[in-house]
Amino acid sequence: MTKLAIHGGSKVKTTPFSTGERFGIEEAKELLEALNQNTLFYHFGQKVKQFLADFNKMYGVKYSVATSSGTAAIHVALGAAGVTVGDEVITSPITDQGTIVGVLYQNAIPVFADLEPNTYNLDPKSIEEKITPKTKAIIVVHLAGNPCNMDPIMEIAKKYNIKVIEDCAQSYLTTYNGRLVGTIGDYGCFSTNDFKHISTGDGGIVTVNSTHQEDYFKAHAFADKNYQRLADSVARDIEYLAPNYRMTELQGAVGIAQLKKLQWICQTRNTYGELLTKGMSGIEGIEPMKITPGGWCTYWFYMFRLDESKFTCSRAEFSQALAAEGIPNQAGYIPKVLYQIPLLQKKQAYVDSQFPFDLSDQNYEAGSCPEAEDILNTAIRINISEFYKIGDIEEIIEGIKKVSSYFQRKK
Ligand SMILES: *Cc1c(COP(=O)(O)O)cnc(C)c1O
């Protein structure tokens, strides 16, 4: 048997992973044009407008609003959807905390539904079990580029008359039965923070998938202190609270150039993710990432699970052995499911206050979403980059095969 690198054997990966430049002269040209406008305000300049027009065209949507972050985009969708004090919002326990920040700023209560074991996305059955008369919205999280099972989710939403907000921060150009995620629910929320498929430094977009212009106006105003800039006469009367989440012209400018690269980025990531799945299928004890039936995944990262009963090592040992082979990886994703963060355990959204949790009997007990907890305890995450070469992917697979075969339990 080949000696593992962690035991002093030779490494699988001996050359550096291929890298590349995310930003170039295209972004610089747009930025210079933005500055030459003599304004960096989205409503007066043309860059944010162009960015949104390009995005709308690519997505085939009529309305979208630019924001300062993905977290802001989700808050805007919640505000526009009318989520307010004491409402419940169902979401996934494996996500970025940005998914629930807006829920709490609206003084609504996050409720967590469980996940499917290998897509890592919300299980429609679990969503339905969590619905109460207080449920106002579902935030579906399309994790790592993989779409949620949207048909049953939209049916549930229709049945109970609740809004669907899609968190697409990790899922640019992901499709579900031929439809782009972000265009299926009532709102689609995207992030352009520096770690996503495309970056404007920070930023976000909300699609408003309504045929009613007033819904678009509402979302637009909610990102801008409830300033009604799109109405015939600018209304400054404010009927309820809304934050300032405006995008600047500088972000819009970079976004225009970044969007032109998005198709290539997503196509490449899809190719690499599919190659990883193919390469690891059939390895005893390894459960590759499962793409939702009807889905096309743009792999923001790649995550597989270990069946520890099939190995003589722990997940930590597997992960370390793989890293020693020259394959960077992380054991798990977020350190624990979202409902186990202190904020929710202590029910403290605001320092020294129990509000809004005191309006609800929602509990965040360990074990309440067992599959989600299990996923985090057994997963190994591999970074994917559009700048990798096929050879890099082949070596990742080779590393996983080498470590697996060393630790496989003999029958
Ligand atoms: C990144 C991310 C967010 C938040 O986006 P920011 O731009 O960082 O605020 C929300 N949800 C998910 C799933 C994310 O990955």
Side-chain angles (χ1 to χ4, degrees), residues 77-78 80-83 89-90 135-140 153-154 157-158 160-166 185-187 210 215:
L78 290 159
V83 170
V89 178
I90 298 174
T135 308
K136 189 68 160 278
I138 306 167
I139 306 177
V140 297
I153 292 172
M154 294 309 292
K158 201 168 156 197
Y160 295 94
N161 191 28
I162 48 191
K163 298 281 184 191
V164 175
I165 296 167
E166 296 179 74
D186 297 282
Y187 303 89
S210 165
D215 289 323

Side-chain angles (χ1 to χ4, degrees), residues 99 119 137 148 185 239 320 335 373 379 384:
T99 305
T119 67
C148 290
E239 296 194 13
Q320 285 153 14
E373 292 182 19
I384 292 191

